[in-house]
Amino acid sequence: MNDRAHCSAVRLRGIAAASIALCAAMALTACGGGESADSPASPSTNPSQSSVTPSASASESEDPQAAQKRAVLQAYNRFWEEQVKAYSRGDATGTEVAKYAAAQALSATKQDLSELRSQGIVTTGEPTHATSVDKLQADKKVPYAKLTDCLDSTGWKFVYAESQKPVDMPTNRLVRYVTEVEAEKWGNQWKIVTVTPQQRSC
């Protein structure tokens, strides 16, 4: 796969949730600097088990926002669970991606899935996460949260759907990297609105 395919999502959208799929998870270093794919990646949890403990590890009695922070993290976990399903099929139909994603995150996911489908690519496995809530503004008209995720794509593989052969990857791509996330609460549901992979490992 050429650099144009590797970086198409990042060039088109930059802050796309699923640009992780086409550029960061596949070959982030094709768009810039990175670390070796052989760099040690500390074990983390899968999307459904990503830490739901606030970064300060505060109990509700110590942190009045603890319950809201857990809710945001749970929404982020579900967002990734549904994305993994969609990428494994090459289609978001039958998933709940739209329940947990909105704005750029949702439109980017749809566009990336279209691009992957056009190349006959799907995924196997799943990434893992270590996520914290860095900011929570629950009193805003539209409640807002900012999260940081150490996303490890080691176990998330891209393959050609027909042959199941792996997609060639640059050997120096980032496989574990910082991802900045924004979420908003629409009604009773927290939604992920932006996911921005960073050009640095974690």
Side-chain angles (χ1 to χ4, degrees):
M1 184 173 291
N2 58 33
D3 286 355
R4 181 179 181 277
H6 286 153
C7 300
S8 59
V10 167
R11 286 204 304 267
L12 290 170
R13 294 175 296 283
I15 57 174
S19 65
I20 293 169
L22 271 178
C23 193
M26 292 181 66
L28 192 56
T29 55
C31 309
E35 68 176 14
S36 170
D38 296 326
S39 298
S42 302
S44 183
T45 52
N46 64 35
S48 63
Q49 297 173 331
S50 179
S51 172
V52 294
T53 304
S55 56
S57 301
S59 67
E60 286 191 46
S61 61
E62 299 167 331
D63 182 358
Q65 294 185 321
Q68 287 280 22
K69 289 178 179 178
R70 283 201 304 272
V72 174
L73 286 166
Q74 287 167 356
Y76 184 63
N77 293 341
R78 290 302 310 277
F79 162 75
W80 265 107
E81 289 174 3
E82 297 305 313
Q83 281 218 128
V84 167
K85 290 178 189 176
Y87 284 111
S88 69
R89 304 170 186 177
D91 194 335
T93 303
T95 72
E96 292 188 306
V97 170
K99 180 176 179 179
Y100 299 101
Q104 293 96 330
L106 180 58
S107 61
T109 296
K110 291 178 178 178
Q111 188 163 347
D112 281 344
L113 285 169
S114 176
E115 291 175 1
L116 287 171
R117 266 198 314 275
S118 72
Q119 299 174 68
I121 296 172
V122 294
T123 62
T124 62
E126 61 188 7
T128 58
H129 305 267
T131 315
S132 63
V133 178
D134 302 324
K135 179 188 291 186
L136 178 64
Q137 298 174 318
D139 56 348
K140 292 185 68 176
K141 184 175 181 180
V142 178
Y144 168 86
K146 183 177 181 180
L147 301 82
T148 299
D149 181 12
C150 178
L151 189 147
D152 187 343
S153 63
T154 305
W156 201 29
K157 308 297 184 183
F158 289 75
V159 301
Y160 292 102
E162 288 191 8
S163 66
Q164 290 297 296
K165 290 182 178 179
V167 175
D168 289 336
M169 305 276 193
T171 57
N172 65 337
R173 74 190 186 280
L174 276 174
V175 295
R176 189 162 59 100
Y177 46 89
V178 174
T179 303
E180 295 181 355
V181 181
E182 292 180 298
E184 294 178 350
K185 191 174 185 182
W186 295 16
N188 295 321
Q189 180 62 58
W190 281 99
K191 289 179 178 282
I192 306 307
V193 294
T194 70
V195 177
T196 312
Q198 303 298 298
Q199 288 275 2
R200 65 182 188 273
S201 62
C202 55

